[in-house]
Amino acid sequence: MKIVVAYKWAPNPQDADVAADGSVDLGRAKWAVSEYDPVALELARQLADATGGEVIGLTVGAAGIDTPLARKAALSRGLDRLVLVADDALDGADGTRVAAVLAAAVRGIGDVDVVLAGDSSVDVAAGQVALTLAGTLGWLGLAAVSAVRVADAGTAGLVVERELPAGTAVVSVPTPVVLAATADAVVPRVAGMKDILAAAKKPVEVLSLAELSVAEPGAVLTTLATAKPGGAERTARIFDGSDAAAAATELVGALRQSGAL
Amino acid sequence: MNAAQSWIVVADDAAATGLVEVARTLGTEVVAVVAGRRAVAEAVAGVVDRVLWLGEPGTAPVEAFAPDVARLVAEAAPRAVVGATTPGGRALLGAVGAALRSPVLAGVERVELAGDDVVVTRSVLGGISQHRTAVAGGPAVLAVDAGAAVAVSDTAAAVEEVAATPLPAQVVEVRPTTVAGVDLGAARVVVGVGRGLKAREDVALISGLAGALGGEVACSRPLAEGVDWLPKDRYIGISGQRVSPELYVAVGISGQLQHMVGVREAKVIVAVNSDKAAPVFAQCDYGIVGDLYQVVPALTAALGGTA
Ligand SMILES: Cc1cc2nc3c(=O)[nH]c(=O)nc-3n(C[C@H](O)[C@H](O)[C@H](O)COP(=O)(O)OP(=O)(O)OC[C@H]3O[C@@H](n4cnc5c(N)ncnc54)[C@H](O)[C@@H]3O)c2cc1C
């Protein structure tokens, strides 16, 4: 089985500086494999080990996503090899464009059975790219996948479990398919020294954006204005809780006085 | 482009008031394409002008209809396409976005028209900034909160059945959730608890405080997805519920932006945390620096409840 994990090398917006006009400076933000993507990498590894398959990491973005650190961070998490598209033309690309580039790369890799992705990215957090990728490829795309296994002997495809608002659904799916994992589908491995050393020897293929056939966008976005969201600014009155009873009395008094209670 | 129309894509869920509301703002005629059971199509028919229904799904998951939905939308080329942020809704929107080569905009807070262009005010980067974005040259594709179930109406549009060829996939088993749903949105007071809690039994401590405040218990994501101490519909944040109570009490929650964006509209925020450097203290109105295992019972007692 050939499994691709579409993951993101992303900045954590927790460390961003947001100016009064809403403009965002990500200069201090820490870049990493996006928070939930290791779950997808682990699911892929487990599925591949159960089927004797191969796991290929795939990520696209601006030129800056291709660094030795970024390569190692992904390759040390159970990948067999890595495919990258790193081009500044993709800086700030919207999800549909990212999905189109991922789709072109998946087609280029060829004979892919499963694409796995994380729940949502740490920066955009919309949980949309994997499903748009499925749409681009014309494949079935399922989010909220909490478990994946190969179907019983005699049946083709995979059996996946999904955590949906109404309950747990078990779905029998043919391949090829795109699956986005829940945040807690599996506990990802922690890369050890051995994994990190092995990562340095694994093959990496860099695809050029120009060589991939990616359709031009059908709609154009223009940012008219940015703003800092309201309600974000609060000044705290802090009570020392080392004497819990006294702090509790003071807080309850303050809440009553302000009308919150 | 058919500028008079806006479309909603419905993923087997009559909770679609949020979709209809946005679609009405953007088009004089609202067309729904419904993947799912007839009952859903009939419910939606009460609140839109036209309904295209893809037929009984049987055992097919709603996502199997994404290519059919995308084809219908692309043929019509409406000004806007609106779907839900649910897993099924995002799958339909993904296929639509791909077919139209148009970005799927999430975090939508407000929509308006500027001439023929759709202008969307949305929160970006996990909610740290807000953008006003104009969509030109093609349909705007929007993922919005589904909202409540549509109201029953006596005057309904006809349900037009359209032939569909769903992708092959089969739901072989459904194990319904046993926990009753909660409407955190209606609560005047919400007490949220996070990883500062050490054991599942200790949720009782939080329920005690919520009881004394006449509020509901909520949590951060790791407590609902990860340890499963609380049901998923009780976690607050960018991927969970957004609430705007009079009072939000964050107990043992560090205050990561993905959580705090869900309580930004709360009138008053109180934080209880043992780490005085926790980011939550920069985002609250009142804070107690202390061990929740001492502070929470003391608060419950001070409110006249039983800890
Ligand atoms: C794409 C994406 C989406 C996400 N969506 C959401 C979301 O919707 N909602 C959400 O909540 N999170 C979400 N997260 C996760 C989020 O980033 C944080 O990881 C999470 O909110 C942290 O939960 P927490 O505050 O409970 O835990 P922690 O960050 O571990 O904080 C625990 C806190 O408890 C305090 N504490 C420990 N012991 C005690 C004690 N005895 N007394 C008092 N305080 C104590 C600690 O000082 C600490 O501040 C998302 C993340 C990503 C990447």
Side-chain angles (χ1 to χ4, degrees), chain A residues 14 22 96 119 123 127-128 162 166 168 170-172 174 184 216 218 220 222 224-227 230 234 236-237 239 241, chain B residues 63 90 101-103 125 129-130 132 134 136-137 168 170 172-173 175 177 221 225-226 256-257 264 266-267 285 287 289:
Chain A
Q14 184 77 29
T96 297
D119 167 86
D123 54 348
Q128 188 62 59
R162 308 179 67 199
T168 305
V170 182
V171 192
S172 150
D184 59 346
E216 284 307 305
V220 182
T222 317
L224 305 175
T226 64
R234 296 178 194 257
R237 212 176 124 192
F239 304 99
Chain B
E63 289 84 354
R90 284 181 280 130
R101 287 171 286 111
S102 192
L125 285 175
S129 178
Q130 194 184 53
R132 256 187 100 225
Q170 260 190 320
V172 290
E173 187 191 344
R175 299 192 288 270
T177 40
R221 189 171 188 178
E225 281 179 14
Q256 299 297 308
L257 68 95
R264 181 180 280 155
K267 189 127 175 264
D285 302 286
V289 180

Side-chain angles (χ1 to χ4, degrees), chain B residues 18-109:
Chain B
L19 278 51
V20 176
E21 200 179 307
V22 171
R24 283 264 172 242
T25 314
L26 299 176
T28 47
E29 187 189 5
V30 175
V31 181
V33 49
V34 179
R37 293 154 297 165
R38 178 179 266 279
V40 173
E42 281 172 355
V44 170
V47 291
V48 301
D49 305 306
R50 208 181 148 199
V51 175
L52 306 178
W53 176 53
L54 296 170
E56 269 323 321
T59 56
V62 72
E63 289 84 354
F65 292 89
D68 289 306
V69 170
R71 171 178 51 83
L72 290 170
V73 172
E75 279 166 16
R79 171 154 53 203
V81 188
V82 188
T85 53
T86 57
R90 284 181 280 130
L92 301 186
L93 288 170
V96 168
L100 299 170
R101 287 171 286 111
S102 192
V104 181
L105 301 180
V108 177
E109 290 172 356

Side-chain angles (χ1 to χ4, degrees), chain B residues 78 174 186:
Chain B
V174 179

Side-chain angles (χ1 to χ4, degrees), chain A residues 35-36 119-122 125, chain B residues 193-198 219-223 235-240 252-256 258-259 272-275 278 290-293:
Chain A
E35 185 154 330
Y36 295 132
D119 167 86
S120 50
S121 63
V122 67
Chain B
V193 63
R195 262 198 304 224
L197 207 67
K198 294 187 176 69
C219 61
S220 65
R221 189 171 188 178
L223 259 60
Y235 87 78
I236 286 177
I238 191 163
S239 0
I253 287 178
S254 58
Q256 299 297 308
Q258 289 92 355
H259 180 82
V272 177
N273 198 302
S274 50
D275 174 8
D291 183 349
L292 75 89
Y293 286 88

Side-chain angles (χ1 to χ4, degrees), chain B residues 225-243:
Chain B
E225 281 179 14
V227 294
D228 294 341
W229 290 353
L230 283 153
K232 286 198 175 55
D233 62 352
R234 286 192 190 257
Y235 87 78
I236 286 177
I238 191 163
S239 0
Q241 308 288 320
R242 287 164 198 247
V243 294

